[in-house]
Amino acid sequence: IDWAAYHHHLSLPWWVKTGSADAGRQVLIAIAAAIITTVGVVFSITILALTLASQQFGPRMMRNFIRDPGNQLTLGIFVGTFVYSVLALGSITSLPEGDFVPHLTITVSEAFLLVDLAVLVYFIHHIAKSIQLPEVIAGIARDLERAIDAEFPVREALRDEDRDGSSSVPAELTDKLDQRGAEVTARQSGYLQFVSYSELVEIAETLDAVIRLSHRPGHFVVANRRLATVWPAGAAGQVAAALDKAHVTGPHRTLSQDPVFAIDQLVEIAIRALSPAVNDTFTALTCIDWLSAGLSEISMRVLEEAVYRGRSGKVRLIEFDPSYSRMVNRAFDKIRQAGRGMPAVDIRLIDALSHISENTASRRRREVLLRQAQMILRGAEQEVAEPNDLEDIRNRFNQLFHASAIGEDT
């Protein structure tokens, strides 16, 4: 359009005129310099603030900063404006007919500058909000909820006779895997981040084989240690090659296929808050509340060993079974140990266990929850010196105990 206006093929509105070539250069140089300076200063200060915040919240803050859509959009707009202004600056040239000044392009750069100012205000508000403790904890809780929905879809309500980790694999097949199966070892050490179950089912169907995984996403695998078991043993070589392409390991855990990671993040914040250096009891109580919400949701789901069948209808892949007791212990053990002798923490932990117990009809799961409550009570009896505080803790435990007993009778 600027070239067409330069050759008088069309005319631009009066407000698009930006003056001479020198004036246009000065405008573009000022825009580019202002934008790149703003990006450097603002993001440097932001990273410093996040680094300080991560000392309390853990390294998750830095990873969230990088992957946050709002931060990515802000950085993209700033960098885009800078690049656009630099390219526009290079288009100003001297020709025999006179200087070529891209008036419309310069006007657009000025418009981008106004947009950048609005984005800067949004960015400051967004960062100030995102590093607030309730927002961080609620964000992790939302991640946990999404991970639970993805890994443990809603099925019919769990009954007392249902068993966590119960296997639907024929006993004969299990014996063949144990006695005549071949091990497939990991090529490298790291956290298992992702497993493509569909690819493994396809390769097992092609080879007429059965694969039993020894780890779930989130587990740490060690090089040259067992990653899976394959039957018949002759298919192990091809399965090993396919497994290398069907799984991802890395230096850290991710939320993909790993709900326990979100639980561990909440626990990390809680035990940091309970440390003598921080001593922020209310933060720990907030984490316990969100843990109870997440585990209540898990308690309403069916956790069992996942068995995948191929097109022929035969069992082709056996996933490492999830463990309800493992999730509960991961959520409460470290907080219970860090908050030992703190009545407020003990009471909130028992209340959380009561809320979770209300959402499960499984006797086995209630036993797991009651075991945690018993450990909390024993620790309180040893550490809490104030009789009234200890009485409150015992009353909360008795409420949980009687509620669990009523649930079992019904």
Side-chain angles (χ1 to χ4, degrees):
I1 296 175
D2 283 321
W3 277 110
Y6 177 76
H7 292 292
H8 305 289
H9 297 315
L10 55 84
S11 60
L12 297 174
W14 62 269
W15 49 268
V16 175
K17 303 298 182 180
T18 56
S20 64
D22 289 338
R25 289 190 184 96
Q26 292 301 320
V27 170
L28 293 173
I29 290 172
I31 292 175
I35 292 299
I36 201 64
T37 301
T38 301
V39 170
V41 172
V42 171
F43 278 83
S44 296
I45 295 175
T46 301
I47 291 176
L48 176 61
L50 291 172
T51 301
L52 295 175
S54 66
Q55 295 177 3
Q56 180 178 356
F57 303 148
R60 181 182 190 273
M61 289 296 298
M62 295 303 296
R63 291 199 295 269
N64 274 6
F65 174 75
I66 295 173
R67 73 176 189 174
D68 183 86
N71 298 337
Q72 294 174 349
L73 177 64
T74 301
L75 182 60
I77 291 175
F78 282 149
V79 173
T81 301
F82 172 76
V83 172
Y84 182 87
S85 299
V86 171
L87 294 177
L89 181 62
S91 68
I92 301 177
T93 57
S94 296
L95 298 175
E97 298 84 355
D99 293 336
F100 170 71
V101 182
H103 297 289
L104 180 60
T105 302
I106 296 173
T107 302
V108 171
S109 295
E110 294 171 343
F112 283 162
L113 180 61
L114 298 177
V115 173
D116 290 344
L117 290 175
V119 171
L120 178 61
V121 173
Y122 157 78
F123 178 72
I124 294 173
H125 169 76
H126 177 69
I127 288 297
K129 180 181 178 181
S130 64
I131 64 175
Q132 292 178 14
L133 187 59
E135 289 291 332
V136 174
I137 297 175
I140 299 174
R142 287 191 294 269
D143 290 340
L144 175 58
E145 183 180 357
R146 287 191 291 266
I148 292 171
D149 290 336
E151 283 301 296
F152 311 120
V154 178
R155 303 180 188 176
E156 62 175 300
L158 193 67
R159 302 181 301 275
D160 282 341
E161 61 269 22
D162 290 332
R163 295 178 298 172
D164 298 316
S166 59
S167 177
S168 57
V169 182
E172 180 182 356
L173 180 57
T174 301
D175 293 339
K176 289 180 179 179
L177 285 165
D178 292 335
Q179 299 172 10
R180 290 181 283 171
E183 291 187 358
V184 174
T185 59
R187 297 288 182 89
Q188 61 181 1
S189 300
Y191 288 100
L192 189 59
Q193 296 177 338
F194 176 79
V195 177
S196 179
Y197 299 111
S198 59
E199 289 187 32
L200 293 178
V201 171
E202 285 297 323
I203 190 66
E205 181 76 10
T206 302
L207 299 174
D208 193 23
V210 180
I211 305 171
R212 182 175 63 189
L213 299 177
S214 301
H215 298 278
R216 289 182 61 85
H219 289 184
F220 188 83
V221 297
V222 180
N224 302 317
R225 297 295 298 272
R226 182 175 65 186
L227 184 60
T229 304
V230 181
W231 179 84
Q238 292 172 280
V239 170
L243 191 56
D244 284 339
K245 301 177 181 178
H247 83 282
V248 178
T249 57
H252 56 80
R253 296 165 63 185
T254 66
L255 287 168
S256 176
Q257 301 180 336
D258 183 17
V260 179
F261 182 42
I263 293 176
D264 288 345
Q265 289 177 333
L266 289 172
V267 171
E268 179 185 8
I269 295 176
I271 60 179
R272 284 174 183 265
L274 292 173
S275 66
V278 179
N279 194 24
D280 184 2
T281 306
F282 285 99
T283 294
L285 299 182
T286 302
C287 292
I288 294 170
D289 291 338
W290 283 109
L291 282 169
S292 69
L295 288 173
S296 295
E297 192 65 33
I298 292 175
S299 297
M300 295 185 288
R301 308 297 175 96
V302 177
L303 310 182
E304 61 183 1
E305 192 174 43
V307 176
Y308 299 83
R309 298 179 182 272
R311 295 183 300 274
S312 62
K314 297 180 180 179
V315 174
R316 294 304 182 192
L317 177 66
I318 304 171
E319 181 186 0
F320 188 86
D321 64 289
S323 171
Y324 182 78
S325 61
R326 173 174 174 262
M327 294 182 187
V328 172
N329 293 338
R330 292 288 283 266
F332 289 100
D333 278 348
K334 293 182 179 63
I335 299 178
R336 171 176 52 80
Q337 295 159 4
R340 189 178 177 89
M342 301 178 66
V345 176
D346 291 338
I347 291 173
R348 189 63 63 91
L349 285 172
I350 296 177
D351 286 344
L353 292 168
S354 298
H355 297 154
I356 298 168
S357 180
E358 293 172 359
N359 289 283
T360 180
S362 168
R363 179 174 302 177
R364 285 178 175 269
R365 295 184 178 183
R366 285 201 176 119
E367 290 174 355
V368 171
L369 299 171
L370 190 59
R371 174 179 172 272
Q372 275 291 337
Q374 290 169 342
M375 289 190 288
I376 295 169
L377 179 61
R378 286 195 296 268
E381 290 174 339
Q382 295 173 5
E383 299 291 338
V384 177
E386 172 57 47
N388 290 327
D389 290 338
L390 188 56
E391 183 65 22
D392 289 339
I393 296 172
R394 285 172 175 161
N395 289 336
R396 301 301 177 94
F397 174 81
N398 290 334
Q399 293 175 10
L400 170 61
F401 181 81
H402 292 311
S404 299
I406 292 172
E408 290 177 7
D409 293 338
T410 56

